[in-house]
Amino acid sequence: MPRDIPNRYVLGFLFTPGLDEVVLLRKRWGMPHIIGKLTAPGGHMAEGETPAEAMRREYVEETAVDLLDWRHEMDLHAGESAEPRWTVHVFSASSSLAHLARTNEEEPVALFPVAELYRLDVVPNLRWIVPFALDRRLLRPQTLLER
């Protein structure tokens, strides 16, 4: 089994075809500020994997959905040096396979209405990452921030 690459992660937002629901999971472990909150499935990259390969593997592991058509949205970096402390490769996709997502490990997986994300207990960055991904897909503004 390949080793995890330290501080390199993937995160994937799988939307239903109408872009009105997204697959999320409730974190049961990890950094203290995200435990108990909703976030997108994802995890560490392994040695020898591209970000897209890691996204596909992590999604299968966490949701039992094997999707090939991931769209790279952005890379998030922490740190101001040439070598960031960590990098998260963010992906999105829309597919009817979202309806098949299920809990495949210990963290509960479910579909949630995109329009309700601002009311849910989500990891804070979801309130801007999801609209960013949707804006790129719809080519029009959409906001989920609290009103």
Side-chain angles (χ1 to χ4, degrees):
M1 182 170 194
R3 292 184 340 190
D4 287 345
I5 300 173
N7 305 321
R8 292 279 304 275
Y9 307 92
V10 293
L11 194 62
F13 295 90
L14 177 56
F15 297 95
T16 54
L19 305 176
D20 55 340
E21 293 178 290
V22 63
V23 176
L24 299 176
L25 60 79
R26 188 163 306 277
K27 292 300 292 178
R28 289 199 171 163
W29 59 78
M31 295 174 283
H33 69 281
I34 66 171
I35 294 174
K37 297 190 181 303
L38 293 168
T39 191
H44 282 92
M45 289 180 60
E47 281 184 349
E49 279 184 320
T50 66
E53 291 167 339
M55 186 69 264
R56 182 178 181 196
R57 176 186 51 77
E58 283 289 343
Y59 226 83
V60 170
E61 288 175 5
E62 294 185 357
T63 71
V65 170
D66 190 1
L67 186 67
L68 295 173
D69 190 25
W70 287 102
R71 174 180 165 162
H72 182 255
E73 295 292 348
M74 70 182 93
D75 291 333
L76 305 174
H77 305 281
E80 298 178 17
S81 68
E83 286 294 317
R85 287 193 316 263
W86 53 259
T87 298
V88 179
H89 304 279
V90 180
F91 292 83
S92 73
S94 62
S95 171
S96 59
L97 292 175
H99 295 285
L100 302 178
R102 61 179 170 79
T103 302
N104 205 34
E105 293 186 319
E106 295 180 32
E107 295 177 310
V109 171
L111 274 173
F112 292 87
V114 169
E116 299 297 317
L117 289 184
Y118 73 96
R119 295 177 198 224
L120 301 173
D121 192 16
V122 298
V123 173
N125 62 15
L126 262 64
R127 291 193 171 96
W128 66 266
I129 292 174
V130 170
F132 178 86
L134 289 173
D135 282 352
R136 286 179 40 123
R137 288 188 170 278
L138 299 172
L139 299 176
R140 65 180 173 83
Q142 181 171 343
T143 182
L144 301 175
L145 299 175
E146 280 189 76
R147 296 163 192 169

